[in-house]
Amino acid sequence: MAVQIRIVLLLLVASLIVGAQARHTKAKIRRDDRSLILVAQPFGFGNDGRMNLTVSNFQLWKTGTGPKTSKTSGYHRIGFFITTPAAEAQLELDLAEGRCPLDAQNDPSRQGLALTLFTFDAVEVNTDKKKGSTRKDFKLNELIENYQGGEFSLFFANCEPYSAIDFDVEAALFNVRGDRVDFLAVGDDMLPFVYFLSFLLFTVLGVLWTLLVVRAKADAHKIHYLMIVLVAFKSLTVLSQAFMYHTISVSGDAEGWNIAFYVFTGCRSLLFFVVIILLATGWSYMKPFISAREKKLLMVVIPLQAIANVAIIYLDEFTPAAESWFTWRDILHVVDIVCCCLVLFPIVWSIKQLRDASETDGKVVRTLVKLTLFRQFYIMVVVYIYFTRIIVYLLESTLPFQLIWLAAAASEAATLAFYVAAGVAFRPMPAGANPYFQLTEEEAIELTKAEQEENP
């Protein structure tokens, strides 16, 4: 059962990875007794895919008995291998049954599951941490017969029982395209173009929305200006993503653009949830205040989003080889889903309030118009969240690795469509033509009384 849970978590996290950010992977492993360690996420290699591994400060420890100093004993069952994402679950099962992934290529019944790069009995092992490192260079077309490219994950395996290991590893996965080294995986090489095109589209949308708000200034509300800021942060987010992936492609490192991306996406995420909640509660449209219940929701959702974004920044400094990497990925996924669910509550509350009002209020027609519009907005938000949180992840996990960029393109297209639809529904209009017209003085007094009764 424990092994099955690990497999499910592994597959879940793999499905949440938004493109393999191909960069130099560095990890420090200390007294780690795991049998299997994911060093580098699935990476799409082309016809001239290559890999460099540098290992230093290696030390094998017998659990509870101190360091093992022999240069040969046990080292043939410790090393690095690559495998396809589809074979990872089977390797976990093999490991649970006592079979070592490093032996897979020598077993006719298991060939194709894993390709051993090297074991430590075949290299100079550094027992003295000051003696330097061991470097290995690999060309996949020389390792794999009839190689035509493919997607592979890099793993470290320790099949020596009752042992733990220390080592430092630096891995560089890349493709050679003509006379240029490209550190972006096949399938991710279109991302700079996708995100830069998204930047242009969101910038045009922001300019058009700003002109619309300025021209209809007399009918504009505070929420319209807040939506301008939201679109601006979205544009800056995709622009920083475009530059981030471009610099990764050239040098293998984001060179600071990842920090800009995290700052902009953090601000955009927080503002997005604020705007959705304010629209859902009719703030500045139907009523001039936010109820205590809605304020409490804002106080929950915004800190959760802030924590999630800080955690993403912190997590990005580590590799999957870190022992707590999968745990943090699961936590971030749960926080994201919780925030998405919470943002639906104000819409449900508004719909319920309008339904109750339609049964008791004499202005039934006007109330039913509001109810219909809020139902449409609710469906729109649900479809957007479902598509970007589930459908996009399914695309990432099912598309061929050469077309993985289509998942990012679909996500940006869905976001653009959602922004346009929300803008059309909540655009500035004269009070007489606006279905979310301002409350009359009588209705405002009734709502104020209701709030006072709710919070005496």
Side-chain angles (χ1 to χ4, degrees):
M1 180 62 69
V3 173
Q4 293 174 343
I5 293 174
R6 285 185 64 188
I7 293 171
V8 170
L9 290 177
L10 183 64
L11 295 177
L12 173 63
V13 173
S15 69
L16 299 180
I17 298 173
V18 184
Q21 294 187 9
R23 61 186 68 181
H24 294 290
T25 298
K26 297 180 180 180
K28 294 181 181 291
I29 306 299
R30 295 292 179 265
R31 288 285 186 132
D32 198 321
D33 61 355
R34 286 179 291 170
S35 300
L36 201 61
I37 298 176
L38 176 62
V39 177
Q41 301 171 12
F43 185 88
F45 290 97
N47 292 332
D48 198 359
R50 304 187 185 186
M51 187 183 308
N52 298 333
L53 284 179
T54 302
V55 182
S56 59
N57 303 330
F58 183 87
Q59 183 71 64
L60 175 64
W61 304 83
K62 273 296 184 181
T63 307
T65 60
K68 185 178 182 68
T69 57
S70 170
K71 289 281 187 178
T72 58
S73 177
Y75 289 140
H76 68 285
R77 296 176 58 80
I78 302 173
F80 291 87
F81 70 93
I82 58 173
T83 186
T84 61
E88 291 178 12
Q90 182 60 46
L91 287 173
E92 286 268 1
L93 291 174
D94 287 354
L95 196 64
E97 296 172 359
R99 291 181 286 187
C100 183
L102 299 172
D103 301 329
Q105 68 189 70
N106 299 321
D107 185 346
S109 64
R110 301 168 65 211
Q111 283 186 353
L113 288 178
L115 174 64
T116 300
L117 298 178
F118 68 88
T119 57
F120 282 92
D121 63 330
V123 300
E124 181 183 353
V125 179
N126 299 307
T127 55
D128 184 345
K129 295 184 179 181
K130 297 181 179 180
K131 282 187 177 180
S133 60
T134 299
R135 177 186 171 92
K136 291 287 184 179
D137 299 327
F138 304 95
K139 294 183 179 181
L140 296 187
N141 55 16
E142 296 178 356
L143 294 175
I144 303 174
E145 187 177 356
N146 299 323
Y147 173 77
Q148 297 295 327
E151 188 178 28
F152 298 95
S153 305
L154 175 63
F155 280 88
F156 172 84
N158 176 16
C159 302
E160 181 69 7
Y162 307 107
S163 67
I165 44 89
D166 288 357
F167 67 87
D168 300 338
V169 62
E170 181 176 351
L173 286 66
F174 57 93
N175 293 294
V176 177
R177 306 177 189 274
D179 58 351
R180 185 175 73 89
V181 173
D182 190 347
F183 287 92
L184 275 183
V186 173
D188 286 345
D189 47 3
M190 287 290 293
L191 290 181
F193 171 76
V194 169
Y195 287 122
F196 190 75
L197 179 61
S198 299
F199 163 71
L200 295 178
L201 293 175
F202 279 105
T203 300
V204 171
L205 178 63
V207 171
L208 293 177
W209 180 254
T210 302
L211 291 175
L212 178 63
V213 172
V214 170
R215 290 179 179 178
K217 186 176 181 180
D219 302 310
H221 300 285
K222 295 177 182 178
I223 190 68
H224 296 127
Y225 296 98
L226 202 59
M227 292 165 75
I228 293 175
V229 179
L230 172 61
V231 177
F233 273 115
K234 176 59 183 178
S235 297
L236 292 173
T237 297
V238 290
L239 179 63
S240 61
Q241 277 183 289
F243 281 112
M244 180 180 71
Y245 278 101
H246 174 72
T247 54
I248 289 174
S249 173
V250 173
S251 64
D253 188 88
E255 297 181 357
W257 282 106
N258 57 329
I259 303 300
F261 165 67
Y262 292 133
V263 171
F264 290 137
T265 197
C267 295
R268 191 266 310 166
S269 297
L270 294 177
L271 198 56
F272 176 79
F273 279 93
V274 170
V275 168
I276 293 299
I277 291 176
L278 294 180
L279 288 176
T281 57
W283 179 75
S284 87
Y285 273 94
M286 290 174 55
K287 51 190 176 184
F289 56 83
I290 303 175
S291 70
R293 179 171 56 178
E294 291 148 5
K295 289 178 182 177
K296 292 177 182 178
L297 184 64
L298 279 172
M299 292 174 64
V300 171
V301 172
I302 292 179
L304 279 176
Q305 274 292 305
I307 292 171
N309 282 277
V310 170
I312 289 173
I313 296 172
Y314 180 78
L315 184 65
D316 194 64
E317 302 300 321
F318 298 89
T319 73
E323 199 164 2
S324 59
W325 191 84
F326 286 101
T327 302
W328 279 107
R329 291 291 299 197
D330 292 339
I331 292 174
L332 294 179
H333 176 61
V334 170
V335 170
D336 185 46
I337 295 299
V338 167
C339 289
C340 290
C341 292
L342 287 177
V343 80
L344 298 176
F345 279 95
I347 312 178
V348 175
W349 293 337
S350 297
I351 291 174
K352 183 179 183 300
Q353 183 182 29
L354 289 170
R355 185 184 293 111
D356 294 341
S358 67
E359 297 175 356
T360 59
D361 193 356
K363 310 175 185 67
V364 177
V365 174
R366 196 165 69 174
T367 303
L368 289 177
V369 169
K370 292 181 185 179
L371 179 60
T372 301
L373 290 170
F374 269 96
R375 282 174 174 167
Q376 293 173 352
F377 184 59
Y378 173 79
I379 293 172
M380 189 166 60
V381 173
V382 170
V383 169
Y384 173 73
I385 291 176
Y386 180 83
F387 186 88
T388 56
R389 295 307 188 277
I390 298 178
I391 300 300
V392 170
Y393 294 148
L394 291 177
L395 287 174
E396 290 170 356
S397 60
T398 56
L399 282 171
F401 70 95
Q402 301 94 330
L403 301 177
I404 196 70
W405 61 272
L406 289 175
S411 178
E412 295 304 322
T415 302
L416 181 65
F418 178 78
Y419 279 31
V420 170
V424 171
F426 294 95
R427 65 190 183 278
M429 288 184 290
N434 191 345
Y436 297 95
F437 47 78
Q438 296 286 334
L439 288 177
T440 63
E441 183 178 353
E442 178 185 351
E443 290 171 327
I445 293 174
E446 290 178 359
L447 281 174
T448 304
K449 290 180 178 179
E451 185 191 33
Q452 292 174 348
E453 292 176 359
E454 187 177 302
N455 301 283

